[in-house]
Amino acid sequence: SPHSQGSEHTARYSRKVFVGGLPPDIDEDEITTSFRRFGPLVVDWPHKAESKSYFPPKGYAFLLFQDENSVQQLIDSCITDDDKLYLCVSSQTIKDKPVQIRPWRLADADYVLDATMSLDPRKTVFVGGVPRPLKAFELAMIMDRLYGGVCYAGIDTDPELKYPKGAGRVAFANQQSYIAAISARFV
């Protein structure tokens, strides 16, 4: 690519995008209508199939785009405020409500703190309950501040959509840091 690595046009994104702060009365069709200009998509939310609800339960949903470039088009259409992305959406009773758009940048799934260190799977811990917006860089910084010796952090992602699963891995450069982390059990 002729663009520099830092250019936002070279960034790649998961086809799954979180949208939060939706109007309470917005339904699936209205959400689809609001976002289909960016490309074919499916609207989803946790336990949608079991609940048979037509409305997202807690004011958020996930947009599952068919094409990755649809996500870039969505991002390009957003308003940025305090490093957060917003797009205006309407329902039956609320017109042009800014909703938060939270795409997942694929590069945020892995972070190498020290490239000179070899990655030892025997000094790697699984971390569960990772908030989905947390980037690998942030996980590395948290674990390094607590235990030291972090050489790598990764966020586990779904193989198809490449969206965070809520878990990760952290590799330590030394046995002491690894033992400290597994001894703590919870962070």
Side-chain angles (χ1 to χ4, degrees), residues 119-126 151-152 168-172 178 182:
L119 210 79
D120 185 350
R122 292 169 303 179
K123 294 187 196 113
T124 301
V125 297
F126 168 83
C151 58
Y152 167 82
R169 298 159 317 291
V170 176
F172 294 94
Y178 168 74
I182 60 169

Side-chain angles (χ1 to χ4, degrees), residues 158-171:
D158 161 79
E160 184 193 351
L161 295 167
K162 297 177 179 61
Y163 193 79
K165 290 180 177 180
R169 298 159 317 291
V170 176

Side-chain angles (χ1 to χ4, degrees), residues 145-185:
R145 188 174 65 240
L146 291 169
Y147 310 113
V150 169
C151 58
Y152 167 82
I155 302 295
D156 292 349
T157 58
D158 161 79
E160 184 193 351
L161 295 167
K162 297 177 179 61
Y163 193 79
K165 290 180 177 180
R169 298 159 317 291
V170 176
F172 294 94
N174 61 68
Q175 194 69 16
Q176 301 90 294
S177 297
Y178 168 74
I179 296 295
I182 60 169
S183 297
R185 295 191 49 161

Side-chain angles (χ1 to χ4, degrees), residues 83-175:
D83 282 340
K84 292 184 173 135
L85 299 173
Y86 296 93
L87 193 76
C88 289
V89 168
S90 296
S91 68
Q92 293 289 328
T93 61
I94 301 170
K95 298 292 173 233
D96 296 327
K97 181 182 190 301
V99 297
Q100 187 179 5
I101 305 298
R102 216 168 53 205
W104 175 257
R105 203 167 60 108
L106 301 186
D108 289 334
D110 291 288
Y111 182 74
V112 177
L113 195 66
D114 186 350
T116 64
M117 305 299 298
S118 62
L119 210 79
D120 185 350
R122 292 169 303 179
K123 294 187 196 113
T124 301
V125 297
F126 168 83
V127 183
V130 175
R132 282 178 178 49
L134 197 74
K135 299 172 178 142
F137 165 77
E138 295 165 320
L139 179 60
M141 294 298 106
I142 291 165
M143 298 298 273
D144 195 61
R145 188 174 65 240
L146 291 169
Y147 310 113
V150 169
C151 58
Y152 167 82
I155 302 295
D156 292 349
T157 58
D158 161 79
E160 184 193 351
L161 295 167
K162 297 177 179 61
Y163 193 79
K165 290 180 177 180
R169 298 159 317 291
V170 176
F172 294 94
N174 61 68
Q175 194 69 16

